[in-house]
Amino acid sequence: MEKFITLQSKAIPLNIENVDTDQIIPARFLKATDRKGFGDNVFRDWRYHKDGTVNTGFVLNDSKYSGSILVAGDNFGCGSSREHAAWAITDYGFKVVVSSFFADIFKGNALNNGLLPIQVSKAFLSDLLQQIESNPQTVLTVNLENQTISVNESDLSEDFEIDAYKKTCLINGYDDIDYLLSKKTEIEAFEKQSV
Amino acid sequence: MSKKTLFDKVWDAHVVDSIENGPQILYIDKHLIHEVTSPQAFNELEDRGIPVYRPNQIVATADHNTPTLNQDQPIKDDLSRQQLEQLSINCKKNDITLYELGHQYNGIVHVMAPELGVTQPGMTMVCGDSHTSTHGAFGTIAFGIGTSQVAQVFASQCLLLKKPKSLRVSVNGKLKNGVLPKDVILFIISKLGTNSGTGYFCEYAGNVFEEMSMEGRMTVCNMSIEMGARGGMIAPDQTTFDYVKGRKFAPEGEDFEKKVAYWKTLPTDDGAKFDLEYSFNAEDIEPMITYGTNPGMGIKISENIPVDENPSFKKSLAYMDFEAGESLINKPINYVFIGSCTNSRIEDFRVAANYIKGKKKADNVTAWLVPGSKQVEAQIIEEGLKTVFEEAGFELRQPGCSACLAMNDDKIPQGEYCVSTSNRNFEGRQGQGSRTILASPLVAAATAVEGKIIDISKQLN
């Protein structure tokens, strides 16, 4: 897994609540047997009309916005457990998703793929969306070490929570398998004792 | 000794180790897999040279991507066929039991595991599928995981997890005529919202769940994830033990009695504390229906769509082409789907057949009845329900996830409404541009016969 320490980037505002994983990556694109290429179809049915033409009204197709931070409405990532959603978002180029609430499974999947889900207050999210929409050149700084997200050249800043173990994993690029394999003796002992 | 919940008891019995200020290592008894969320996990292990640690604790099935017609013939869609072939190769290579397409035990993962007795009380179970919560009906900690976690369980039979908070939803009283388990859970989600359960594991309690069949309990627990809860559980009782007894993988004889004695210790202790509690009266529940693009957007069939100025709410109604404040009664409907891991068990088809018997499907309606497994399909035929369906003009298909997520050819066309017994009404869930209305098998059957949404309570009374 790629390490994550700090990030400075512009952001894309996806001002919609309850974005579910069927929107992030529709089921018909889940037939691949590897992890690559899902970015082509991220938010497919919002990015393109059914006839394949580009939906110019959708924010990812709006050339004034760019960056590797996605700022989304409340309850992001609800629905299916498909990790393809996290793969699609990272494959498209995002490194951070900001929302006022994340669904559990999506959050775990994101962290397992070096994609940082940052949960902020509703008030901060609202200010952030407004700031980006009024000035698409706005640059944000995410500092995982200090657990802060801030808008450059402004007072807008907030601390965020992250599980200490997951923080260490992200900063060092470790994943859970490494840790679990190091605990094989304990796992075998547990199996013996529960029989 | 401190009072414990059902969830506490099962969780605590599976903790291998705890990381200070971090997650715990939770041992997983049973791991279910299917073709869509497992291939990348197998690849990961292979790339890293790690063997599958406990293949005999894994059970595989093909369900998401399978056709529901002509299952004896090669699958036409190349990608679907390759994904299923990959599953067969991976299972063979790693010595994992697979019930592939056409096998007498093949079926939707959350239908086949309980009916084979793989699912048992007090276990921990996972699957790369959010509706794994279904198995909680047995007093099992069962939840959906991502593919990285599938790889972790392959490698170590464990997961690193933080213990979720506890939530109890109680429903007491007497359910009205025509109110099914699906209505109970749709009602709960409509009251609590789609993220009310996030961060929690839910226990359903009260006489309504105690009096429910195992299949009804599975319908309820199945949709726990639709209110955000990782899983839902119901205390095991005599109904549970009777259901498990005699199934293929159930313990037998003295072993079974020993297990039952243990399972009887699992229900929540009197006075145990939950982090959050809700309670509802059974009398307040009526047949339900959804009008929007998340499962929390549900109303009683007799009610009108609420009025809300929230832009996401308005976007949702615009997608559905419904007006705030209108009633859904008499809306013409051209598609009906009875199936999915929520409602594709024999009791669901009995409810539908009982309503349909002696009636005819409306001409405008395309209705797909998709059993959850080969065993359910066989039972439908054995009980004569297939004849009832065919005489009424319904098509009984072969088992699979089908139009619940439309990965195969069972897609609802653009702009069409489908009254569906599945679990999600997200935009395009049943096919690009399709509009899903979630309901019980009874409401779905009535819609298919009438060709429009009707007030089923009025008709029954």
Side-chain angles (χ1 to χ4, degrees), chain B residues 145-164:
Chain B
I145 56 176
T147 297
S148 295
Q149 292 174 306
V150 172
Q152 290 160 27
V153 182
F154 279 164
S156 67
Q157 207 56 36
C158 288
L159 283 172
L160 281 168
L161 294 166
K162 246 183 139 164
K163 190 174 178 179

PDB file of all heavy atoms in Angstrom, chain B residues 145-164:
ATOM      1  N   ILE B 145     -17.954  -7.768   4.164  1.00  0.00           N
ATOM      2  CA  ILE B 145     -16.583  -7.249   4.186  1.00  0.00           C
ATOM      3  C   ILE B 145     -16.139  -6.897   2.766  1.00  0.00           C
ATOM      4  O   ILE B 145     -16.719  -7.363   1.793  1.00  0.00           O
ATOM      5  CB  ILE B 145     -15.592  -8.278   4.806  1.00  0.00           C
ATOM      6  CG1 ILE B 145     -15.645  -9.627   4.055  1.00  0.00           C
ATOM      7  CG2 ILE B 145     -15.868  -8.465   6.283  1.00  0.00           C
ATOM      8  CD1 ILE B 145     -14.636 -10.659   4.553  1.00  0.00           C
ATOM      9  N   GLY B 146     -15.088  -6.090   2.677  1.00  0.00           N
ATOM     10  CA  GLY B 146     -14.506  -5.752   1.384  1.00  0.00           C
ATOM     11  C   GLY B 146     -13.528  -6.830   0.948  1.00  0.00           C
ATOM     12  O   GLY B 146     -13.204  -7.749   1.725  1.00  0.00           O
ATOM     13  N   THR B 147     -13.051  -6.697  -0.282  1.00  0.00           N
ATOM     14  CA  THR B 147     -12.185  -7.738  -0.833  1.00  0.00           C
ATOM     15  C   THR B 147     -10.829  -7.827  -0.131  1.00  0.00           C
ATOM     16  O   THR B 147     -10.266  -8.914   0.003  1.00  0.00           O
ATOM     17  CB  THR B 147     -12.029  -7.519  -2.350  1.00  0.00           C
ATOM     18  OG1 THR B 147     -13.325  -7.659  -2.938  1.00  0.00           O
ATOM     19  CG2 THR B 147     -11.104  -8.531  -2.989  1.00  0.00           C
ATOM     20  N   SER B 148     -10.286  -6.688   0.342  1.00  0.00           N
ATOM     21  CA  SER B 148      -9.024  -6.755   1.108  1.00  0.00           C
ATOM     22  C   SER B 148      -9.219  -7.607   2.356  1.00  0.00           C
ATOM     23  O   SER B 148      -8.325  -8.355   2.765  1.00  0.00           O
ATOM     24  CB  SER B 148      -8.563  -5.363   1.542  1.00  0.00           C
ATOM     25  OG  SER B 148      -8.236  -4.601   0.414  1.00  0.00           O
ATOM     26  N   GLN B 149     -10.410  -7.494   2.950  1.00  0.00           N
ATOM     27  CA  GLN B 149     -10.700  -8.307   4.141  1.00  0.00           C
ATOM     28  C   GLN B 149     -10.929  -9.772   3.778  1.00  0.00           C
ATOM     29  O   GLN B 149     -10.605 -10.657   4.551  1.00  0.00           O
ATOM     30  CB  GLN B 149     -11.915  -7.727   4.879  1.00  0.00           C
ATOM     31  CG  GLN B 149     -11.624  -6.376   5.501  1.00  0.00           C
ATOM     32  CD  GLN B 149     -12.870  -5.760   6.107  1.00  0.00           C
ATOM     33  OE1 GLN B 149     -13.876  -5.618   5.437  1.00  0.00           O
ATOM     34  NE2 GLN B 149     -12.795  -5.389   7.374  1.00  0.00           N
ATOM     35  N   VAL B 150     -11.503 -10.009   2.582  1.00  0.00           N
ATOM     36  CA  VAL B 150     -11.636 -11.399   2.118  1.00  0.00           C
ATOM     37  C   VAL B 150     -10.235 -12.026   2.079  1.00  0.00           C
ATOM     38  O   VAL B 150     -10.025 -13.148   2.555  1.00  0.00           O
ATOM     39  CB  VAL B 150     -12.312 -11.462   0.716  1.00  0.00           C
ATOM     40  CG1 VAL B 150     -12.259 -12.888   0.152  1.00  0.00           C
ATOM     41  CG2 VAL B 150     -13.757 -10.977   0.790  1.00  0.00           C
ATOM     42  N   ALA B 151      -9.264 -11.258   1.565  1.00  0.00           N
ATOM     43  CA  ALA B 151      -7.883 -11.753   1.511  1.00  0.00           C
ATOM     44  C   ALA B 151      -7.329 -11.987   2.923  1.00  0.00           C
ATOM     45  O   ALA B 151      -6.617 -12.972   3.168  1.00  0.00           O
ATOM     46  CB  ALA B 151      -7.000 -10.764   0.750  1.00  0.00           C
ATOM     47  N   GLN B 152      -7.682 -11.105   3.851  1.00  0.00           N
ATOM     48  CA  GLN B 152      -7.196 -11.275   5.234  1.00  0.00           C
ATOM     49  C   GLN B 152      -7.734 -12.561   5.851  1.00  0.00           C
ATOM     50  O   GLN B 152      -7.013 -13.275   6.552  1.00  0.00           O
ATOM     51  CB  GLN B 152      -7.624 -10.076   6.094  1.00  0.00           C
ATOM     52  CG  GLN B 152      -6.894  -8.797   5.729  1.00  0.00           C
ATOM     53  CD  GLN B 152      -7.638  -7.564   6.201  1.00  0.00           C
ATOM     54  OE1 GLN B 152      -8.387  -7.615   7.172  1.00  0.00           O
ATOM     55  NE2 GLN B 152      -7.444  -6.451   5.520  1.00  0.00           N
ATOM     56  N   VAL B 153      -9.015 -12.842   5.599  1.00  0.00           N
ATOM     57  CA  VAL B 153      -9.607 -14.059   6.157  1.00  0.00           C
ATOM     58  C   VAL B 153      -9.020 -15.294   5.460  1.00  0.00           C
ATOM     59  O   VAL B 153      -8.741 -16.295   6.112  1.00  0.00           O
ATOM     60  CB  VAL B 153     -11.150 -14.030   6.067  1.00  0.00           C
ATOM     61  CG1 VAL B 153     -11.756 -15.286   6.692  1.00  0.00           C
ATOM     62  CG2 VAL B 153     -11.700 -12.806   6.766  1.00  0.00           C
ATOM     63  N   PHE B 154      -8.811 -15.192   4.150  1.00  0.00           N
ATOM     64  CA  PHE B 154      -8.119 -16.295   3.458  1.00  0.00           C
ATOM     65  C   PHE B 154      -6.777 -16.586   4.146  1.00  0.00           C
ATOM     66  O   PHE B 154      -6.423 -17.731   4.384  1.00  0.00           O
ATOM     67  CB  PHE B 154      -7.813 -15.914   2.005  1.00  0.00           C
ATOM     68  CG  PHE B 154      -8.977 -16.064   1.039  1.00  0.00           C
ATOM     69  CD1 PHE B 154      -8.926 -15.446  -0.210  1.00  0.00           C
ATOM     70  CD2 PHE B 154     -10.086 -16.830   1.349  1.00  0.00           C
ATOM     71  CE1 PHE B 154      -9.967 -15.584  -1.124  1.00  0.00           C
ATOM     72  CE2 PHE B 154     -11.141 -16.971   0.443  1.00  0.00           C
ATOM     73  CZ  PHE B 154     -11.073 -16.339  -0.793  1.00  0.00           C
ATOM     74  N   ALA B 155      -6.041 -15.534   4.441  1.00  0.00           N
ATOM     75  CA  ALA B 155      -4.677 -15.684   4.939  1.00  0.00           C
ATOM     76  C   ALA B 155      -4.612 -16.115   6.403  1.00  0.00           C
ATOM     77  O   ALA B 155      -3.685 -16.822   6.809  1.00  0.00           O
ATOM     78  CB  ALA B 155      -3.907 -14.378   4.760  1.00  0.00           C
ATOM     79  N   SER B 156      -5.614 -15.700   7.212  1.00  0.00           N
ATOM     80  CA  SER B 156      -5.447 -15.887   8.661  1.00  0.00           C
ATOM     81  C   SER B 156      -6.705 -16.363   9.388  1.00  0.00           C
ATOM     82  O   SER B 156      -6.669 -16.600  10.589  1.00  0.00           O
ATOM     83  CB  SER B 156      -5.007 -14.561   9.280  1.00  0.00           C
ATOM     84  OG  SER B 156      -6.064 -13.623   9.180  1.00  0.00           O
ATOM     85  N   GLN B 157      -7.848 -16.467   8.675  1.00  0.00           N
ATOM     86  CA  GLN B 157      -9.140 -16.804   9.277  1.00  0.00           C
ATOM     87  C   GLN B 157      -9.531 -15.775  10.349  1.00  0.00           C
ATOM     88  O   GLN B 157     -10.359 -16.024  11.215  1.00  0.00           O
ATOM     89  CB  GLN B 157      -9.110 -18.232   9.858  1.00  0.00           C
ATOM     90  CG  GLN B 157     -10.470 -18.935   9.930  1.00  0.00           C
ATOM     91  CD  GLN B 157     -11.194 -19.025   8.595  1.00  0.00           C
ATOM     92  OE1 GLN B 157     -10.578 -19.205   7.539  1.00  0.00           O
ATOM     93  NE2 GLN B 157     -12.501 -18.864   8.603  1.00  0.00           N
ATOM     94  N   CYS B 158      -8.928 -14.587  10.252  1.00  0.00           N
ATOM     95  CA  CYS B 158      -9.210 -13.523  11.223  1.00  0.00           C
ATOM     96  C   CYS B 158      -9.376 -12.178  10.523  1.00  0.00           C
ATOM     97  O   CYS B 158      -8.965 -12.000   9.383  1.00  0.00           O
ATOM     98  CB  CYS B 158      -8.062 -13.384  12.224  1.00  0.00           C
ATOM     99  SG  CYS B 158      -7.979 -14.734  13.402  1.00  0.00           S
ATOM    100  N   LEU B 159      -9.946 -11.232  11.272  1.00  0.00           N
ATOM    101  CA  LEU B 159     -10.043  -9.849  10.811  1.00  0.00           C
ATOM    102  C   LEU B 159      -9.627  -8.924  11.943  1.00  0.00           C
ATOM    103  O   LEU B 159      -9.796  -9.258  13.116  1.00  0.00           O
ATOM    104  CB  LEU B 159     -11.491  -9.523  10.438  1.00  0.00           C
ATOM    105  CG  LEU B 159     -12.009 -10.046   9.099  1.00  0.00           C
ATOM    106  CD1 LEU B 159     -13.512  -9.785   9.016  1.00  0.00           C
ATOM    107  CD2 LEU B 159     -11.284  -9.385   7.928  1.00  0.00           C
ATOM    108  N   LEU B 160      -9.123  -7.753  11.571  1.00  0.00           N
ATOM    109  CA  LEU B 160      -8.818  -6.728  12.568  1.00  0.00           C
ATOM    110  C   LEU B 160      -9.999  -5.779  12.625  1.00  0.00           C
ATOM    111  O   LEU B 160     -10.314  -5.114  11.636  1.00  0.00           O
ATOM    112  CB  LEU B 160      -7.568  -5.958  12.138  1.00  0.00           C
ATOM    113  CG  LEU B 160      -6.253  -6.663  12.420  1.00  0.00           C
ATOM    114  CD1 LEU B 160      -5.117  -5.960  11.704  1.00  0.00           C
ATOM    115  CD2 LEU B 160      -5.984  -6.701  13.919  1.00  0.00           C
ATOM    116  N   LEU B 161     -10.650  -5.721  13.765  1.00  0.00           N
ATOM    117  CA  LEU B 161     -11.878  -4.927  13.856  1.00  0.00           C
ATOM    118  C   LEU B 161     -11.985  -4.237  15.201  1.00  0.00           C
ATOM    119  O   LEU B 161     -11.517  -4.750  16.218  1.00  0.00           O
ATOM    120  CB  LEU B 161     -13.097  -5.842  13.722  1.00  0.00           C
ATOM    121  CG  LEU B 161     -13.312  -6.533  12.378  1.00  0.00           C
ATOM    122  CD1 LEU B 161     -14.345  -7.631  12.547  1.00  0.00           C
ATOM    123  CD2 LEU B 161     -13.739  -5.557  11.307  1.00  0.00           C
ATOM    124  N   LYS B 162     -12.646  -3.091  15.158  1.00  0.00           N
ATOM    125  CA  LYS B 162     -13.001  -2.418  16.397  1.00  0.00           C
ATOM    126  C   LYS B 162     -14.401  -2.861  16.757  1.00  0.00           C
ATOM    127  O   LYS B 162     -15.266  -2.924  15.880  1.00  0.00           O
ATOM    128  CB  LYS B 162     -13.010  -0.907  16.155  1.00  0.00           C
ATOM    129  CG  LYS B 162     -11.932  -0.185  16.912  1.00  0.00           C
ATOM    130  CD  LYS B 162     -12.044   1.281  16.693  1.00  0.00           C
ATOM    131  CE  LYS B 162     -11.794   1.989  17.992  1.00  0.00           C
ATOM    132  NZ  LYS B 162     -11.529   3.396  17.772  1.00  0.00           N
ATOM    133  N   LYS B 163     -14.622  -3.183  18.018  1.00  0.00           N
ATOM    134  CA  LYS B 163     -15.949  -3.675  18.398  1.00  0.00           C
ATOM    135  C   LYS B 163     -16.996  -2.574  18.177  1.00  0.00           C
ATOM    136  O   LYS B 163     -16.840  -1.475  18.706  1.00  0.00           O
ATOM    137  CB  LYS B 163     -15.933  -4.097  19.876  1.00  0.00           C
ATOM    138  CG  LYS B 163     -17.171  -4.831  20.304  1.00  0.00           C
ATOM    139  CD  LYS B 163     -17.031  -5.345  21.735  1.00  0.00           C
ATOM    140  CE  LYS B 163     -18.300  -6.036  22.183  1.00  0.00           C
ATOM    141  NZ  LYS B 163     -18.195  -6.564  23.542  1.00  0.00           N
ATOM    142  N   PRO B 164     -18.047  -2.866  17.402  1.00  0.00           N
ATOM    143  CA  PRO B 164     -19.067  -1.842  17.164  1.00  0.00           C
ATOM    144  C   PRO B 164     -19.896  -1.570  18.425  1.00  0.00           C
ATOM    145  O   PRO B 164     -19.869  -2.367  19.374  1.00  0.00           O
ATOM    146  CB  PRO B 164     -19.958  -2.436  16.073  1.00  0.00           C
ATOM    147  CG  PRO B 164     -19.421  -3.771  15.734  1.00  0.00           C
ATOM    148  CD  PRO B 164     -18.346  -4.118  16.715  1.00  0.00           C
TER     149      PRO B 164
END
